Amino acid sequence: AFLVDADSPGFRVGAQEDKMGLRASKTAMVYLEDVEVPVERRLGGEGDGFGIAMKTLDHSRIGIAAQAVGIARACFEEARSYGRSRETFGKRLVDHQAVAFRLADLWTEIEAAKLLTYRAAWLSEQPGAKYSAESSAAKLFASETANAVAARAVQVFGGYGFSKEYTVERLYRDARVTTIYEGTSEIQRMVIAKNVLRD
């Protein structure tokens, strides 16, 4: 693991990716072509890079979980607001039990994801604590929740949910990547299993 100055000879950033979601966040390839890195730019000791990377992932997965909770919460707020203003069959959408129960379930799932995320964040600040399983559980649950909540929020909007006129359409696209980056949901399950099933 090492640090490289962006102005180092041979360092180059590629073209910005045209992504499905998180379009306000720039994503590009980084190229290192014959870049010389002095030893004082190394992080940790020689051969420690993998361990540093894994510890970094333990912490950054909590950030993705928090992002997923935020996206899910925004979806809920959009669906609730729309449900309060839209009327069908002579009453507001939220006054139909099917919609009210759906929103109640979304709120409950978001709260559970939030608490898992808070717990992992708290553990990450405890000296000497190991929290790989907790950070992976938070990311797994929060990211899967964000995707499910986004899909059901779009459903509350009906056809309007598929229109770029409404924020929920963008949130639906933004939620998708949370189950992918910093390790897919399948990787999170592997990390959890490794930590909770060891003898």
Side-chain angles (χ1 to χ4, degrees), residues 5 38 47 69 72-73 85 103 106 113 115 123 128-129 131 133 135 151 162 168 173 176 182:
D5 288 321
V69 169
R73 184 67 192 203
S85 64
L103 291 172
L106 299 186
L115 291 172
L123 278 172
Y131 56 94
S135 68
F162 205 65
V168 75
R173 290 184 288 107
R176 191 66 198 101
E182 299 299 306

Side-chain angles (χ1 to χ4, degrees), residues 42-96:
R42 185 179 66 208
L43 299 174
E46 188 172 339
D48 291 346
F50 184 75
I52 291 168
M54 292 302 100
K55 286 179 184 172
T56 301
L57 281 173
D58 282 346
H59 197 73
S60 62
R61 285 172 176 155
I62 299 168
I64 304 305
Q67 177 189 29
V69 169
I71 292 169
R73 184 67 192 203
C75 287
F76 171 80
E77 296 292 345
E78 291 291 322
R80 181 174 63 177
S81 177
Y82 182 77
R84 286 173 170 167
S85 64
R86 175 85 165 131
E87 289 192 9
T88 61
F89 305 106
K91 58 184 179 179
R92 301 181 311 165
L93 274 181
V94 294
D95 295 325
H96 293 282

Side-chain angles (χ1 to χ4, degrees), residues 8 10-12 25 27 36 53 71 79 83 87 97 101 112 119 122 127 138-139 145 149 169 183 189:
S8 298
F11 178 92
R12 183 171 57 88
S25 170
T27 302
E36 293 186 14
I71 292 169
E87 289 192 9
Q97 190 176 64
F101 280 10
R119 181 168 184 267
W122 178 81
K139 185 197 181 288
T145 295
V149 167
E169 179 273 341
R189 289 181 176 98

Side-chain angles (χ1 to χ4, degrees), residues 69 72-73 76-77 103-119 141-142 145 149:
V69 169
R73 184 67 192 203
F76 171 80
E77 296 292 345
L103 291 172
D105 286 344
L106 299 186
W107 183 87
T108 302
E109 292 165 18
I110 293 165
E111 286 298 301
K114 182 170 70 174
L115 291 172
L116 275 171
T117 303
Y118 283 175
R119 181 168 184 267
F141 191 81
T145 295
V149 167

Side-chain angles (χ1 to χ4, degrees), residues 16 41 59 148:
Q16 186 174 332
R41 304 296 286 174
H59 197 73

Side-chain angles (χ1 to χ4, degrees), residues 158-174:
Y160 289 128
F162 205 65
S163 168
K164 290 194 178 212
E165 179 182 348
Y166 290 89
T167 302
V168 75
E169 179 273 341
R170 176 183 56 81
L171 294 169
Y172 181 76
R173 290 184 288 107
D174 288 349

